[in-house]
Amino acid sequence: MESGHCIDKRKVCDFKIDCPTPGGSDEAQCGTCTFDNNNGTLCGWEDRSFSDLNWVLATGATNMGPSSDHTTGNGFYITVPPNNLYKFASLRSQTVGPAGVECQLKFSYYMNTQTTMNSSKISVYIRNENDNFTSFTYIANIYHSTGPEWKQNVINIGYQSRRFFIEIDGIPYEKTAIAIDDVEFYNCQSETAPELGLSINCTFENGWCNFFQNTTADFQWTRTNIQTSSSNTGPNFDHTSGSGYYVFIEASSPRIPGDHARLISALQYPSSTAQCLTFWYHMYGSDIGTLNVFVQMISTDLNSTSSTFVWTKSGTHGNQWHRATQTLYNLNSTDMYGWRIAFDAEEITTTLSQPVASTTYPPTIYDCNFECNCTCNWKNDNTTKFTWTVTQAMVWSSGLVHDSDHTTGTTFGYYMYFKTNSSVKLNDTARLISPDLISTNDEKCFRFYYRMHGSNIYQLNIYARINGNLGKALWRREGNQGNQWLVGRLSLRGNVQQTIGQPYQLVVENIVGKNFLGYISIDDLAVNSGPCPISSVCDFESSEQCDYINDPTNIINWKRSQAEIDSSFPSIDVTYSTSYGHFMLLKDKNTTRPVYSRLITPHYFSTNGSCLRWYMLLENAATLNIKIDAVNILNSTNLYTIHGAYGK
């Protein structure tokens, strides 16, 4: 209300002052804050903590925190005291927005971590009106120590079409307090032209600088300072320092061919002179798609965007960083407000020669998608301290976000996760047990989806429990597998060592790492009769061997073998990372003669280009040749040769 007149409530906290007298009252309690007014104020921020650990308004020195505020040296700030119980305090803004594409949240923070083992951090989330504010979206984690001083952090909020609020979680360690001061929503008003000329020189060492996600794209770029999670892809280090940050896209499931991720810069002033764009790129892996760079021109009325294609690369370019330079012309016109750079990454598109039909299996008593908010016929092992728990999408105290289940792909679907608390310790365990299965000579497949995300993830194991004993794991994954659902398959015939006709149970086991900063989740458990579903990967876990056959002219044949059969065999296979896994082996006891033996794949249809990948172990000066035998063509075409010792 201004001078006795009311304004629409949606104009309150929309980043635009509609009540200039007195002093922009409609925006005064909307989050931009030095915390100094009226002898200390939160400017609309509210503590929404779930425990006795809270954000509190403070002045002067605090325990393990700053000696004074950032604004004036004698004002106020908000802080979370030290804590050693893995608790977190939550601070929530008022409902604000909508927001323009270049909207940022800026604040100064103090977090003087003293050791590398210190796990203090600040996590920032956004909750959106689109889903009635019911789910969180993680937007930033801040781990970096400030030392004994204040530092500024800038977080990209980006375009928000509806109202939203921000939540800031402070997660302190026992010898570190966390403090925040001088919060500002910057460049956020959605109906006002964005600021021109913000610097777009960026190493990504201190955040996203002035680059923003295009939220209308299919998926997002990710900022990291560690090796990418997918094997045989991505850089092991950044280009700037070798230990810093870079941004990348993850091409693994659930990505599909043709998906795009776009990173766009802040708008720049029109320029009558050409500009030089320089960047470093890393494109490595068998399924690399295309990286395109565009210059986008924004019209003076801000209603239209035109794009000019300026640079592109496709396919793998080796496991190294490459420098790219491109001169940008025609950056000025009479109807242009400004221009920006857009980095567009496109997933590889593969054209199949014929459609592949999906397989539908009849339901069984072992199937469970947890949409009943129950565990179906599966049971928790009551002999372990912890349990698997049915849940919906959530935000974890560690700052990790589960944004959907696998079955529905929404925040309303259910899945299982490993429920822990602050008393969790290394090697604590939870197990989920299936109903009885009967061992037969017929093919059976256990199918499931799993998600393993976080820096302290340890193990997810699958066992066959026989007469109460687990034995060796039949399937295992260890460590961070990325923040996405992955498919797991386990062929039961040939792996389960139970007498034919006797019962056993499948056991899904989670083993805790050094703490609970991470999560393991499972969804859509199922057992089907017949072999595991056909995929583009042959893991040799089915006795049918994916229809690979030995050449009838072989002197000795390739044999489907199991790890650890004797001391000369590998101790584990690649598929399951256990001694139960299978692989194809060629071995001759007579080492005095050369032996030529061919393993032949099924027939494949012709394509415009395909990729063949495999794992191999060569010993005793062996030679491996990969050849193509085309139908109705007499001679083979040699594609690849390797000789000597390879792998271990």
Side-chain angles (χ1 to χ4, degrees), residues 219-260:
F219 65 114
Q220 307 293 302
W221 289 78
T222 301
R223 176 176 170 265
T224 188
N225 66 341
I226 61 175
Q227 182 178 353
T228 53
S229 58
S230 298
S231 59
N232 298 316
T233 64
N236 299 323
F237 52 85
D238 83 315
H239 175 264
T240 311
S241 66
S243 59
Y245 283 80
Y246 60 95
V247 298
F248 76 101
I249 63 160
E250 174 56 64
S252 302
S253 176
R255 302 278 61 83
I256 61 175
D259 276 358
H260 289 258

Side-chain angles (χ1 to χ4, degrees), residues 527-548:
V527 174
N528 64 263
S529 297
C532 285
I534 296 174
S535 73
S536 59
V537 177
C538 181
D539 54 22
F540 300 109
E541 295 309 320
S542 168
S543 60
E544 295 179 354
Q545 301 178 182
C546 313
D547 293 327
Y548 280 63

Side-chain angles (χ1 to χ4, degrees), residues 172-212:
Y173 192 60
E174 59 182 346
K175 295 184 178 180
T176 303
I178 293 173
I180 288 177
D181 200 1
D182 297 338
V183 182
E184 178 186 9
F185 284 100
Y186 178 75
N187 213 14
C188 289
Q189 215 285 310
S190 60
E191 297 178 359
T192 301
E195 182 177 346
L196 294 174
L198 297 176
S199 174
I200 56 175
N201 295 327
C202 191
T203 63
F204 299 106
E205 296 306 299
N206 297 304
W208 292 85
C209 308
N210 291 302
F211 281 85
F212 306 87

